[in-house]
């Protein structure tokens, strides 16, 4: 579900929804790459591909946590628990796809998509409640 289709409110001006939309676009691209890796698991010479972690893309875009209150701890930009592991061993035909690794990445991506979608729906519900809809 895209932001524009979800509601007639202009949610693109709200940073949280913009971030959620960017994360969902990243998840969509990652899922496409992982599907290609699985589809080519028996293709000689195929090398597993993945996107850079989303947190790294935010760092490149110069998005960083903001300390809004001096009592709050400063945020740490760029750390990601989803950092891509170093490619493993290659098969004799040059293929470097490990189905176990790829299926784990796919499950992680699916979980991320569900989380972002649920958060988006929850916040949209808050706005609807606040507006009396």
């Amino acid at each position: 579900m895209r932001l524009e289709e979800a509601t007639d409110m202009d949610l693109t001006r709200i940073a949280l929804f913009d971030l959620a939309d960017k994360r969902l676009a990243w998840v969509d691209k990652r899922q496409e790459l992982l599907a290609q890796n699985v589809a080519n698991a028996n293709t000689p010479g195929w090398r597993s591909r993945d996107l850079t972690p989303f947190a790294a893309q935010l760092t490149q875009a110069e998005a960083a946590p903001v300390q809004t209150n001096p009592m709050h701890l400063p945020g740490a930009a760029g750390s990601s628990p989803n950092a891509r592991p170093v490619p493993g061993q290659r098969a004799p035909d040059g293929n470097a796809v490990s189905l176990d690794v790829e299926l784990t990445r796919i499950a992680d991506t699916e979980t991320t998509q569900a989380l972002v979608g649920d958060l988006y729906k929850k916040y949209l519900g808050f706005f609807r409640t606040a507006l009396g809809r």
Side-chain angles (χ1 to χ4, degrees):
M1 173 174 29
R2 304 280 307 165
L3 287 175
E4 297 80 21
E5 299 169 2
T7 181
D8 56 3
M9 294 185 292
D10 187 13
L11 298 177
T12 57
R13 294 179 187 223
I14 300 172
L16 176 71
F17 292 110
D18 186 41
L19 181 62
D21 194 40
K22 288 178 183 176
R23 179 70 174 199
L24 287 174
W26 180 88
V27 166
D28 183 45
K29 289 177 187 175
R30 185 175 195 218
Q31 195 73 355
E32 183 180 332
L33 280 177
L34 296 176
Q36 289 175 359
N37 290 342
V38 171
N40 290 292
N42 293 325
T43 303
W46 183 267
R47 294 178 187 225
S48 180
R49 298 182 300 164
D50 198 358
L51 295 178
T52 57
F54 186 70
Q57 291 183 355
L58 287 180
T59 303
Q60 291 170 358
E62 297 182 16
V66 177
Q67 189 174 5
T68 58
N69 184 320
M71 300 293 288
H72 295 165
L73 295 173
S79 61
S80 174
N82 302 327
R84 182 175 176 189
V86 176
Q89 297 179 351
R90 296 195 184 289
D93 65 0
N95 188 301
V97 176
S98 168
L99 287 178
D100 292 341
V101 171
E102 296 303 321
L103 294 176
T104 301
R105 289 178 185 166
I106 289 170
D108 178 54
T109 304
E110 186 177 344
T111 302
T112 300
Q113 181 181 18
L115 173 68
V116 173
D118 289 346
L119 288 172
Y120 179 82
K121 289 176 191 175
K122 185 66 75 174
Y123 275 94
L124 189 58
F126 290 155
F127 283 109
R128 286 187 178 143
T129 300
L131 294 173
R133 292 185 179 180

